[in-house]
Amino acid sequence: LWVAIPVAILAGLVSFVSPCVLPLVPGYLGYLGSTTTTTAAPTLDGGRTVTAERARLLLGVTLFIAGFTVVFVAVTILGGTFGYLLLQYANVLTRVFGVVIIALGLVFLGFFGIAQRTLRPRAQGRAGLIGAPLLGFALGVGWTPCIGPTLAAVQTLAFTEASAARGAVLSAAYCLGLGLPFVLIAWGLRWS
C-alpha cells in the first residue's frame, strides 16, 4: 500500500495534465473565481482585499476537489465492496452489459425516438461556494470516461482484490494528485 499511494498520486497528476482536464482548468478556475470572490469594500488606495478573495477562492477549489473526490471514492468503495460478486458473476454480467451496450448503440443511432430528447437545465444566478462541490461532482461524473485509463489503474486494485478500504485510500490519493495542481493554480491565480 505504501508503494501504491505515491503511484496513485502520480496517476492523479498525470490525469491533470491530460488533454481531458488541462484545457478545462482556465474555465473551471474562472467559474470558481467568479462565484467565490466577494465584492470587498475598496480601501483608501482603491485596491481590493486580495487575501480574502484568495482565501475564498482556495475554499471554493477545495470544495470543488471534495466534489470529485466523493464520486471517485464512492465508485471505488462500491467496486471493492461488490468486487467479489462481480468476479463471481463476471460471465453473466459480461453478457448483460453487452446487451446494454448494443441497446445504447441503437439509441445513439436514433432507433428509439423517445431517447433522443434533450433536457437542458437552466441555472440562473450565482451559486457561490455551494456551486463549487457541485462542479467537482459534475467533473467526477462527466470526466470519468475521459480520465478512465489512469483512474482505472487505481481502481483495479479495489476491484480485483475486493478491498473497499484499500481502494478508498488509493482513490483518495489519486484525487490528491488530481486536486493539488488546482490548489496551486488557484493560490497563484493573480500571477498565473
Side-chain angles (χ1 to χ4, degrees):
L1 184 63
W2 294 111
V3 174
I5 289 174
V7 171
I9 292 172
L10 182 63
L13 290 169
V14 168
S15 291
F16 179 82
V17 297
S18 73
C20 295
V21 177
L22 192 59
L24 301 173
V25 172
Y28 278 112
L29 289 177
Y31 175 77
L32 289 174
S34 70
T35 60
T36 60
T37 55
T38 59
T39 53
T43 58
L44 291 176
D45 62 343
R48 301 176 120 191
T49 53
V50 176
T51 307
E53 284 185 7
R54 180 180 288 159
R56 193 161 160 89
L57 177 63
L58 287 173
L59 177 61
V61 169
T62 304
L63 291 171
F64 167 72
I65 294 167
F68 66 74
T69 300
V70 165
V71 173
F72 295 151
V73 171
V75 166
T76 305
I77 288 174
L78 288 174
T81 303
F82 298 113
Y84 176 74
L85 293 174
L86 292 174
L87 290 174
Q88 187 176 2
Y89 297 105
N91 238 0
V92 173
L93 290 174
T94 300
R95 288 181 174 85
V96 169
F97 290 140
V99 170
V100 169
I101 289 174
I102 291 169
L104 289 175
L106 293 172
V107 167
F108 183 72
L109 290 172
F111 282 97
F112 303 105
I114 193 159
Q116 302 301 320
R117 297 178 51 195
T118 302
L119 298 174
R120 295 183 184 165
R122 297 174 195 249
Q124 295 179 356
R126 294 170 55 168
L129 288 175
I130 293 173
L134 296 176
L135 187 61
F137 188 82
L139 173 84
V141 171
W143 267 256
T144 298
C146 194
I147 60 176
T150 52
L151 182 60
V154 173
Q155 291 181 341
T156 297
L157 296 173
F159 296 152
T160 58
E161 295 183 15
S163 171
R166 180 181 172 102
V169 168
L170 292 178
S171 284
Y174 173 85
C175 292
L176 176 69
L178 181 59
L180 187 61
F182 279 104
V183 172
L184 294 175
I185 291 173
W187 180 260
L189 188 62
R190 292 254 184 224
W191 57 264
S192 66

